Structure formats: structure tokens, C-alpha cells
């Protein structure tokens, strides 16, 4: 197996210097996700307002792939409208589940294209997806809350 | 003969054991497939290849062998899901056999949860169940103070559903029944009973152990909420069974066995559990067995379950015809092949089933004698045991002829003719 | 090197998978045997022969194939009984894996019977258990209102038994512990703890999943009342495990799974149960798996478990020495090979276990990374996961050298050296 | 398989005309044994007094082998001292478990030697032993009772 296909420089850079790491206020939802197979964990918060992902903060324990993925993910979604961010999530998911057959779209995924090689290592796909899944879950909760809040203020 | 599988002789070549000769040089006539089916070479070879080249534990292993093994194991889940038309692969739980699948349900229903069975609740089964679909419910109801009830049988071997509205009431929590009887051959109106059960909010458990080998199975169309079958009867290996369940039902059941990869996280004080199917797959699963089962259902799908079913019906009709010519022989269960499965149990007046089986065995013909794990159904018909001949996709009309001749010989051996 | 199995190269030839090359042309260096062991040709061939020539259901079948299959299945029970020096073959119950064996005990202790666990009772385990010996007891105690307690660990990875008299008291009903830890490698003083447990009338359950592959097992000398292990770790197939129990203890446990041949008689209203071992073997057992396990324990007995143990200790000592040369590497658990099993878990500073395993895998070296189903033991040592190399009877010193070199390479790959 | 080795004339005769069949009084113990595999059943009573098997009566449902075996067994044990009858039981058991390697002793087993062939049919050994096991069980109970009675009357 070609290690360098997996451990791209970009990934190792994000691993050594993760962006947006740490837990911050304010946030509407916090989730804790675990990869039961290996025990990797992430606690992740999202702050959404006006339909925009204002912040994503996290505390992650895990391998280079899972850590770098969290870092890249925050770069990609922070500041984006929720709908657009969800679209990026979809694109990343499709890449990861593509068994190496999907051509990554640099326009959408930016540094995320470095994970194209991970898709060929089935055991590591879960690592790359851990924080993305946590983000999706937290955002769904936050947006749910958002809507509830709006409805309440309307009612 | 209409309905037989084309290329039957070629198909038989797929099954190495069918080449065997037994004591006295008799070729094997295997008519005990309702007990366990024989295995095609491709199932054996797939297992050997796995053991010789890809063996590793699954889920937990990150190395290449682990990835290969996990992929083969999870591919088997996909194959089984498509074999039974499961809406989601996650709804397919691997167990060790059908019995464990049924017990998993009955055992977990005793514990706290939205579906918990307790005093005042009723569980409904039928008088034609295999012990594996009786005893788990006896244990559940005895242990929880619930009541066990059952549908009786008509004289011609069908379920007596005339009292269905008294039987399935708002007290009913579970209705569990076999799709095809392993003794009487009866095919039950599962969807119809499920409809009534769902009206009163009961969950429906279907024992498809004899159905999955013979009929095209569509779990959703069946009406089942949970459905069990066993690998070794669908040309797969022993050591593996399947529990399919609707996601929302499986999600509501508490865990069964604890340990291994069925967890989300574990601390000494408490644990949380993985989602389905892993929640119900504690410990190292039957890996090579799942891989073998995957090859088995692929083999069946390749033949086409419609064709397997047609073959089974043709052979069963031919067997019923042949058996009718044997003096003193009475078939238990429906006499119309189009309404039954391929297991045909019968009595031969004046010769005990053991002795029938023994005489047949001396001619290389393998049938089963005894109660076939269906004592209550035997009791219902006033017999203690019976002889059962059960065909499968590799059975030929000539083998049925050998059976009929063997029965004639048994009669003469015991000086009845 | 002293203690290695003679003819190690010949022994390796018995294991077809060891001839495999992986991506990049690397030969397989399999150091994940604590996860699952590889299978010798004789085990595979025995299974194939059974499937191709003798396949039939057991106990129930009266024909020649049935007799052959039953004989092979029951002979496997004899082999296992002698492998663990069980006083009686009836005390050997076949389960699907070690997890089921442990759950069988924990699950049945919830129900009415002389050994029933209830409110006020205590169950004692340890902090170094595999999840499969934690979660079943959590389920039991949560469901019955009993209390779960556990022995802690010392900093050097041993059981902390300093408080044994507070831990095991007249409230203790069950003490369940692992003989050899799958993470720390620690060999526990099982007989000593059993002695104390028996003083207070508790039953002792021993998880021998890691012991049975490596140590000569004498169930009576072990002090266990019940003892579990799993087929796939003793060069046997998946889909089979063993629960051994003293007859008087097994007799006192109520049935676990219901159905099939675990009965004496069944009526719709109630059933009575067969004696051990059949009482605990509902449904069609893992037949070909038992036959494979029989061949596996024969293979081990032929090598001699004393010799296997000596080999394991020699390789483990060599591995501990080699690992000590890797900068930033810390072994979890005892550092003296004579007091531990062959699973060696470690941390490598600056490289996450997944990444260690990945780099090793790129060189054909298969190790495990993660929590190894022992999260609490990891938590105890303040780590979330570790890398584990585990040797077995086919492991060579050269493979340990490859491991050590691979770890050096991992450090350089991640720019630590 | 040679059927005639199994179904000796003597066996078929006992099957057609079983000796001592039916349940009779008096008895000290009655047992019900089942062969769970096939469902064969026997209800069996023993009457023991003065250390002698005075009567064995039974109601058996089963195959030719199990029925004939019950018949032969009663012939062999009725009228014998318990200890001697137990010895005959041991001899029969050894024959049945001998896989066809044990030479039957006609002195002891009389018609029972016809079962020598059964020992080569493992699936049928249980049939031949059903009533013997029931007899042993019932006799142990009866003798236990006997002893208890004696002890009580002594006490
Ligand atoms: C100590 C220990 N106990 C229990 C088990 C569970 O064995 P299985 O997964 O075969 O049930 C294992 C291995 O996975 C183990 O190492
Ligand atoms: C109708 C039916 N249900 C359940 C079972 C149990 O299957 P298994 O013994 O594989 O658990 C069988 C077969 O033995 C069967 O025929």
C-alpha cells in the first residue's frame, strides 16, 4: 500500500497544526461522536445563526486522518450558509465512499481533496468521516433549535 | 416432468457429496434436506479461500487481511439483504442459527423497553411450530408472567384461523409463526395473520427456516416485523443464521448478548451500544460462515428462487403421487403440492418410523425419523413420530422412485406384504 | 533462541496464509493472533472433508451420513474435553464464541434457580476485562438490581488484589475474570482468587479466551466453576466457542436458548429439558465448526501446549527486548515475559496507533490498533488506544525484527527521527 | 448396512410378542424415560422386595429395537437378585457401547445377544438402552425407598 497516497503533505500539515481546534462559545449544539471500532472521539460544537455556520469548534482525540479531517472540515464549512455546507458534506461523503473511483472536486473541497487517497483504505474512511458526521449531527440539532426558536418568537 | 430445474444433472455435479456411495455400494439418495441441505462446491471453495488467504478478524482490524475479511463479511450481509429484499442492509443481523435469532427476540422482550412483554400480555404461536419457535416463547411467558396462546390445526394440517379474532386481541404483544411447517409442509397465510396482528399493535415474528430455502422471500411483503432463517438449510454452512428486523423494531429491542463490537463506548460503570446490526452481534461473528452464506445465497439467486420453488413443487407432487401408491402409508399434512413445502412426513402402518428409516438407509436413502422437533404437531395428529422425506433443488424423480421402492421393501422386510 | 518450537519453518508450512504476499510484494508478517489466529491446513481440510463427504445434521439423523456427522461432532467434544482436562465430556458446551459462553452464564443467572442473582447480591469483575466479560455483567446487574464491583489495576498492569477481602464478601455471588489479559498480557492468579471466592460461596467464571491458545489448561486446577474460550483463537474456525462448567453448576443454571434438541419433551403448555451439554445447545449446533475445532485442538496437542507456551514466552521476551530499543515506545502491562501472555500493547510517542498500524501494514506487518475491546483498561492507563502486536506458535524472531524495524520507519515517516 | 445383522429374528419376535408388557401393581417406583432425539418413550415400574426384582412392568412406545429390548430386559432381570440384575445391566451396556467389538456372553444375556448387531448402528444404541436405563433408574429409586423403609423401620 502506498503510504504517501494516504498521508498527503496537506493531511500531515493539518494534523500537526489543526485549524479551529478547541471548544468555544457560543454554540447551539454540542455532540460527542465515537468510532466504536478504534475508540477515536470528537466533541464538537456548532454555532449557527442567520442560516450561516458561524463557528465550529472541537476537541478531537484520534489519528492523523481523523484530526486532519476535522481541521479541513472547519475550514470548509465555517462562514458558509448551512445549505451550502451540507452540500460540501455530501461531496466529501461521496468522495470517501467512492472506493477511490470518485474524482475530487477541488473547487468544492479545497484541502479536502487530499483525502482522495483515504477512500482507497476502507479501514480509514471512518476516521476521515468522524468529525464530518459529528458536524452534520450537531448542525441538524442546532438548526432544529433555530427553527424552534423562530417558531416560538413568531407564536 | 414440468417444473424441474433445467440441467439438473449439472446442478447435481455442484454438490460433491452427491457423488458418495454408502455401505453396500449404494449411491446416496439424500432426502433429508429439511433437516440440513447439502453444500455446493462454490460455498466450500469460498470458505476455503477465505481461510487460506484472507482470514482475519473483522471491524477491529486495520491491516490488509482485516480489510479483506471485513469486506467479505459485510459483502455477505449485502447479499443476504438482497436475497430477502431487505430495505436496508443494517436490518440483517447475523446469528448462529435460526434458533438463536428467535431466542434473541424472545429473550430481549423480557427486558425493559418499549416492546417489553409482561403480566397480562399475550404471545400467540401455533401448534405446528418447530420447538425453536415454541420453547423461547414458553421461557419468555413463564419468566414474565405473560400468557402463551396458540392457533390449533385443522385435520388436514392447516392452521385453524377460524378463531383469529379471539386469538389475536388487544392483549396480544407478539404473534410468532412459521411460514412453512417443517413437518406438515403447510404454507401459512403469514401476511393475512400479520395484518390482523398489526391491527392490534402486536409485532409479528416469522420463522422462515423452511421458507427461505424454497420460496422467493420478500420480507416486506411477508408482513413480518422480524424474520429468522438458518444458513445450513439454504446450502450454506452451519454456525450462521439470520435475523432480519424492521429498523424501528430492532432499534426498540434492548441488547441481547454483550461484548465485543456491540458497544459504542464502555466504562466500568456503564456502556452504550452500537446501532443495528452491530448491537446484536456481540463477540467475533461467524466470519467464514457469513462468507459461505453469501456464496450460498448467490448460488440460489443464480438458479433463481422462482425456479427452485417450481422444482420443489414438481418433485413434491411426484413424491405425493408415489407415496399414495404405498399400502398403509398416510401422509401428514396437506396433500396438494401447490399449497405446501417439500418436507413430506408420513406414517407406514405396522412399521415404526425408525425401522422405516433404517431399511431405507440400508439402501442408501437418507430420510429423517422421529418428531422432527415438532412434538406438539405430532401429538395433534395422535402420532408419536413419523418418517420424513424432504427434497431440495438437487432431488431427481429417480430418487423419489427409489424412496417409493424402498418403502415397499420395508413393508416386505417387516412381512406386511 | 531457547524455547522456540523445533521445526518452526515446517510448522509455518502448515499455515497456507503465511505464504501470502501483500500489496507491494511484502510477505505477510501476522502479529494479530490475539485477535484471531491463523488456521493450519489440517483444520481446513478436515472441515472440507466433512462438508464434501459427511455433511448431515447431528443427533436427529439416523442415516449413515447422520451417524458420521454426529460421530465427528461428538468426537470433537471429546477432543476439547481432553484439551482442557475436563472431568466429563458432558461438561463441554459448544457456543458460537467466547462472548456467547460468558453471556450464557450472565443471562441465565438472572432467572429463577439456585444461583439466581438479585438485589443486594454482588458480581465482581476486574478493570482489565475484555468488553465481553464486562457488558454481560453490566446487563445482569442492571437488570436484576445487583451491584457490579471490580478489582482495579496496579501501575505495572497487575490486578490489585490488596483489597480482596473487601471486594469478595458474603454478598458476592459471582467472580468473573480473565486468565490472561488480551491487552496487558497479564496472567492473573486465578486459582488464588477462586479460593477466596469459594470461601464465600461465590461461583468463579474464568475467561480463558487468551489463556487457552497459549497455556496448558486444566480446568479443575484453574479453580474455575465455569470457563470460556473461543475457537478462532486456538487455530480453529470462527462460529464456535466453548463453555466448560462443573456439572453441578451447569445443572443449576436454567436453560438459555430454547428449541431444537435442548429439550426432553415439549408440549404446547410446557417443556422439560435435556441434560447437559444438550440443555445449552439449542438449534442446529455449529457442526462443521466443532469438527474444525476438534482438529485444531488436536493440532495444538500434537505440538504440545507446554511447547507452544515456551515458544510464546521466548518470542514475547524477544519482542519486549526489541520494543525497548524503539525511542518513545512504552509497553503497557508487565515487562517480564515469564509473567505474561504474548499480546504486547504499546504506545509510540507522537504517532497515533492507527498511523503506526498503517505504516506497519504498508510493510506487510499486521498488528491491531485501537482499544482491543478493553476500553476500561486503556482508560486506567490514561490512553485512548494503543497498538498491539501479538505473536503465536508460528511467529519467528525475524518477524519481531521486522516489527521493530517497521516501528523505526514509522517514527521516521512521521518525522520523529 | 446389513439389515439382518440388526433385525435378528429374536428381536423381531420380541417386537411382535413383547414379554411382560403392560403396567402392573405392586411397584415401589415408576419412571418415565424419553429418547429426546426420536421421541420414543417408556413408562416403567419395578417391584423389588427381599433384594429381588419381583416384577418389571412397562408401557413402551417406540421402534422394534426399543420394544424388543424392553421385552428381553424383563426376561433377564425378573426374579434375579438386584445386584445380579445390575450386573446383567452392566454387561448389556458394555455390549451396546462396544461398537461391535465386544463378544456377547450368552450365559448372561440369553436372548440379549441378539442385540450384538445393534452396537454397530450408533443411532440405534439409544433405542436398545432406553428401557434398560429406565429400569436402572427405577430400581435405584425402589432400592433407595427400600433402604429408607428399612432404616425407618429400624429407627
Ligand atoms: C480476553 C478475551 N475475552 C473474550 C474475547 C471474546 O472472544 P470472541 O470475540 O470470540 O467471543 C476475546 C477476544 O476477542 C478476548 O481476548
Ligand atoms: C421451521 C424451523 N424452525 C426453526 C428451525 C431451527 O433451525 P436451526 O436448528 O438451524 O436453529 C428449523 C430447523 O431445524 C425449522 O425447520
Amino acid at each position: 500500500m502506498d503510504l504517501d497516497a494516504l498521508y498527503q503533505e496537506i493531511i500531515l500539515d493539518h494534523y500537526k497544526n489543526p485549524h479551529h481546534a478547541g471548544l468555544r462559545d457560543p454554540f447551539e449544539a454540542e455532540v460527542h461522536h465515537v468510532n466504536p471500532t478504534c475508540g477515536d472521539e470528537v466533541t464538537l460544537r456548532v454555532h449557527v445563526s442567520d442560516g450561516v455556520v458561524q463557528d465550529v469548534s472541537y476537541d478531537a482525540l484520534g489519528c492523523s486522518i481523523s484530526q486532519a479531517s476535522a481541521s479541513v472540515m472547519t475550514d470548509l464549512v465555517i462562514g458558509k450558509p448551512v445549505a451550502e455546507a451540507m452540500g460540501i458534506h455530501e461531496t466529501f461523503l461521496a468522495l470517501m465512499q467512492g472506493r477511490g473511483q470518485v474524482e475530487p472536486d477541488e473547487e468544492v473541497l479545497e484541502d479536502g481533496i487530499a483525502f482522495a487517497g483515504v477512500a482507497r483504505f476502507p479501514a480509514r474512511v471512518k476516521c476521515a468521516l468522524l468529525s464530518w458526521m459529528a458536524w452534520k449531527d450537531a448542525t441538524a440539532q442546532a438548526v432544529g433549535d433555530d427553527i424552534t426558536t423562530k417558531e416560538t418568537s413568531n407564536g | 416432468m414440468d417444473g424441474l430445474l433445467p440441467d439438473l444433472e449439472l446442478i447435481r455435479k455442484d454438490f460433491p457429496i452427491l457423488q458418495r456411495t454408502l455401505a453396500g455400494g449404494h449411491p446416496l439418495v439424500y432426502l433429508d434436506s429439511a433437516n440440513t441441505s447439502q453444500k455446493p462446491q462454490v460455498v466450500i471453495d469460498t470458505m476455503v479461500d477465505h481461510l487460506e488467504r484472507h482470514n482475519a478478524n473483522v471491524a477491529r482490524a486495520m491491516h490488509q487481511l482485516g480489510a479483506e475479511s471485513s469486506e467479505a463479511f459485510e459483502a455477505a450481509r449485502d447479499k443476504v439483504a438482497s436475497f430477502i429484499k431487505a430495505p436496508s442492509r443494517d436490518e440483517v443481523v447475523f446469528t448462529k442459527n435460526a434458533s438463536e435469532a428467535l431466542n434473541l427476540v424472545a429473550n430481549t422482550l423480557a427486558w425493559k423497553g418499549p416492546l417489553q412483554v409482561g403480566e397480562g400480555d399475550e404471545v400467540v404461536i401455533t401448534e405446528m411450530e418447530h420447538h425453536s419457535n415454541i420453547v423461547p416463547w414458553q421461557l419468555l411467558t413463564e419468566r414474565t408472567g405473560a400468557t402463551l396462546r396458540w392457533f390449533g390445526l385443522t385435520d388436514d394440517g392447516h392452521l385453524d384461523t377460524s378463531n383469529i379474532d379471539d386469538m389475536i386481541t388487544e392483549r396480544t404483544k407478539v404473534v410468532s409463526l412459521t411460514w412453512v411447517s417443517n413437518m406438515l409442509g403447510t404454507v401459512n397465510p403469514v401476511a393475512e395473520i400479520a395484518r390482523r396482528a398489526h391491527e392490534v399493535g402486536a409485532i409479528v415474528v416469522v420463522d422462515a427456516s423452511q421458507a427461505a430455502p424454497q420460496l422467493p422471500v420478500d420480507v416486506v411483503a411477508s408482513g413480518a416485523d422480524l424474520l429468522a432463517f438458518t444458513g445450513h438449510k439454504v446450502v450454506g454452512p452451519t454456525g450462521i443464521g439470520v435475523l432480519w428486523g424492521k429498523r424501528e423494531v430492532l432499534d426498540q429491542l434492548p441488547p441481547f448478548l454483550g461484548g465485543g463490537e456491540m458497544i459504542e463506548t464502555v466504562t466500568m460503570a456503564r456502556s452504550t451500544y452500537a446501532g443495528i446490526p452491530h448491537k446484536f452481534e456481540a463477540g467475533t461473528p461467524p466470519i467464514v460462515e457469513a462468507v459461505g452464506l453469501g456464496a450460498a445465497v448467490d448460488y440460489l439467486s443464480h438458479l433463481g428462487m422462482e425456479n427452485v420453488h417450481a422444482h420443489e413443487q414438481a418433485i413434491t407432487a411426484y413424491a405425493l403421487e408415489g407415496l399414495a401408491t404405498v399400502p398403509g402409508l398416510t401422509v401428514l399434512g396437506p396433500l396438494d403440492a401447490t399449497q405446501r413445502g417439500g418436507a413430506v412426513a408420513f406414517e407406514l402402518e405396522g412399521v415404526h418410523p425408525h425401522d422405516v428409516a433404517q431399511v431405507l438407509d440400508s439402501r442408501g436413502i437418507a430420510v429423517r425419523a422421529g418428531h422432527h422437533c415438532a412434538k406438539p404437531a405430532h401429538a395433534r395428529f395422535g402420532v408419536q413420530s413419523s418418517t420424513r422425506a424432504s427434497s431440495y433443488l438437487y432431488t431427481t424423480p429417480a430418487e423419489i422412485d427409489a424412496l417409493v421402492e424402498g418403502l415397499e421393501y420395508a413393508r416386505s422386510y417387516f412381512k406386511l406384504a
Side-chain angles (χ1 to χ4, degrees), chain A, chain B:
Chain A
M1 293 274 167
D2 180 10
L3 273 190
D4 297 338
L6 180 66
Y7 295 116
Q8 307 260 329
E9 275 309 318
I10 304 178
I11 292 183
L12 295 181
D13 288 349
H14 277 274
Y15 173 46
K16 300 255 154 164
N17 302 297
H19 304 178
H20 306 103
L23 292 170
R24 289 180 296 278
D25 289 327
F27 63 97
E28 289 75 38
E30 175 178 308
V31 298
H32 181 73
H33 276 217
V34 178
N35 181 343
T37 312
C38 61
D40 281 4
E41 301 179 26
V42 64
T43 305
L44 182 142
R45 297 176 176 178
V46 295
H47 171 37
V48 179
S49 72
D50 302 326
V52 169
V53 182
Q54 305 290 354
D55 192 20
V56 179
S57 65
Y58 62 93
D59 185 16
L61 269 173
C63 64
S64 56
I65 304 294
S66 76
Q67 302 261 31
S69 178
S71 171
V72 168
M73 183 266 293
T74 56
D75 279 354
L76 284 171
V77 301
I78 292 173
K80 298 266 164 53
V82 169
E84 188 184 337
M86 283 289 177
I88 300 171
H89 171 274
E90 286 300 315
T91 308
F92 189 75
L93 192 66
L95 176 64
M96 286 298 99
Q97 294 177 340
R99 296 171 169 272
Q101 304 303 309
V102 174
E103 196 57 48
D105 181 346
E106 186 160 6
E107 292 285 292
V108 179
L109 293 180
E110 301 174 17
D111 277 6
I113 63 164
F115 289 84
V118 177
R120 290 198 274 124
F121 292 78
R124 306 305 293 274
V125 168
K126 276 189 187 169
C127 309
L129 289 177
L130 181 65
S131 58
W132 285 87
M133 292 306 189
W135 171 77
K136 188 187 177 192
D137 181 10
T139 305
Q141 289 181 29
V143 171
D145 278 7
D146 218 37
I147 291 167
T148 317
T149 320
K150 268 189 212 143
E151 281 176 356
T152 313
S153 55
N154 285 351
Chain B
M1 192 181 304
D2 258 17
L4 292 188
L5 280 165
D7 300 326
L8 187 53
E9 280 311 314
L10 279 180
I11 290 172
R12 286 177 64 83
K13 293 230 169 70
D14 292 340
F15 292 80
I17 209 169
L18 299 181
Q19 314 305 320
R20 247 202 85 170
T21 47
L22 299 171
H26 295 283
L28 170 64
V29 175
Y30 188 74
L31 292 172
D32 197 17
S33 290
N35 200 354
T36 199
S37 63
Q38 295 303 342
K39 321 304 172 206
Q41 195 70 55
V42 64
V43 167
I44 300 170
D45 288 352
T46 302
M47 292 173 71
V48 168
D49 180 60
H50 187 85
L51 291 172
E52 287 187 355
R53 296 184 43 81
H54 310 289
N55 176 64
N57 215 324
V58 293
R60 332 163 152 188
M62 310 221 115
H63 43 71
Q64 291 170 65
L65 292 185
E68 290 168 10
S69 187
S70 301
E71 196 165 313
F73 177 69
E74 292 301 337
R77 199 189 303 278
D78 289 326
K79 290 170 194 214
V80 169
S82 91
F83 182 67
I84 60 174
K85 302 199 172 50
S88 160
R89 68 186 308 281
D90 293 344
E91 296 176 342
V92 172
V93 175
F94 287 126
T95 62
K96 70 173 172 179
N97 52 27
S99 301
E100 189 194 16
L102 294 164
N103 276 277
L104 186 163
V105 178
N107 195 293
T108 55
L109 286 172
W111 303 115
K112 201 153 71 195
L115 300 175
Q116 185 174 21
V117 169
E119 230 156 312
D121 292 337
E122 294 181 356
V123 172
V124 176
I125 60 175
T126 89
E127 212 173 350
M128 68 166 82
E129 298 309 314
H130 188 279
H131 295 164
S132 294
N133 201 27
I134 299 175
V135 183
W137 305 109
Q138 290 178 335
L139 290 171
L140 171 67
T141 51
E142 282 163 17
R143 286 168 173 177
T144 59
T147 303
L148 184 65
R149 303 183 64 192
W150 53 90
F151 283 105
L153 308 182
T154 62
D155 288 340
D156 58 350
H158 288 280
L159 273 192
D160 177 4
T161 53
S162 58
N163 60 344
I164 187 166
D165 292 340
D166 294 336
M167 193 57 70
I168 302 180
T169 69
E170 70 291 347
R171 289 185 303 278
T172 311
K173 281 293 185 72
V174 183
V175 177
S176 185
L177 81 166
T178 194
W179 188 335
V180 177
S181 159
N182 71 313
M183 175 208 166
L184 301 166
T186 320
V187 179
N188 287 321
V190 169
E192 199 179 307
I193 292 171
R195 203 171 313 120
R196 171 65 191 154
H198 288 146
E199 274 169 27
V200 300
I203 60 166
V204 175
V205 182
V206 171
D207 177 359
S209 301
Q210 295 292 341
Q214 304 184 37
L215 304 175
V217 170
D218 177 329
V219 285
V220 174
S222 78
D225 296 297
L226 298 148
L227 179 143
F229 70 98
T230 199
H232 66 94
K233 297 196 209 266
V234 291
V235 309
T238 52
I240 186 144
V242 172
L243 175 66
W244 168 83
K246 283 187 189 150
R247 178 184 292 277
E248 54 275 26
V249 175
L250 288 177
D251 278 344
Q252 288 180 65
L253 291 176
F256 177 44
L257 307 181
E261 303 291 334
M262 57 72 79
I263 56 99
E264 183 185 60
T265 191
V266 174
T267 65
M268 291 309 287
R270 55 180 295 108
S271 302
T272 55
Y273 309 114
I276 62 167
H278 305 295
K279 174 169 125 186
F280 295 113
E281 294 181 351
T284 301
I287 302 169
V288 69
E289 292 77 10
V291 171
L293 177 60
V297 300
D298 266 1
Y299 182 85
L300 292 178
S301 302
H302 183 77
L303 293 180
M305 285 306 295
E306 297 289 355
N307 301 329
V308 170
H309 184 213
H311 181 83
E312 194 74 74
Q313 294 221 306
I315 291 286
T316 305
Y318 187 68
L320 289 169
E321 253 172 54
L323 294 174
T325 67
V326 180
L329 188 146
T330 320
V331 168
L332 298 157
L335 294 176
D336 177 354
T338 64
Q339 298 182 21
R340 57 156 23 255
V344 183
F346 55 84
E347 286 192 286
L348 185 59
E349 209 185 321
V351 195
H352 186 278
H354 278 189
D355 296 318
V356 173
Q358 192 81 56
V359 172
L360 293 176
D361 187 49
S362 75
R363 299 163 77 95
I365 304 165
V367 298
R368 185 168 174 192
H371 52 62
H372 324 313
C373 297
K375 285 198 108 175
H378 278 85
R380 162 63 179 81
F381 292 99
V383 301
Q384 186 213 15
S385 60
S386 61
T387 309
R388 184 184 71 183
S390 54
S391 54
Y392 202 25
L393 57 89
Y394 35 69
T395 305
T396 65
E399 291 183 307
I400 300 299
D401 295 340
L403 168 68
V404 172
E405 279 158 35
L407 292 168
E408 297 284 6
Y409 178 68
R411 294 189 73 247
S412 72
Y413 191 85
F414 283 94
K415 307 197 170 60
L416 298 167

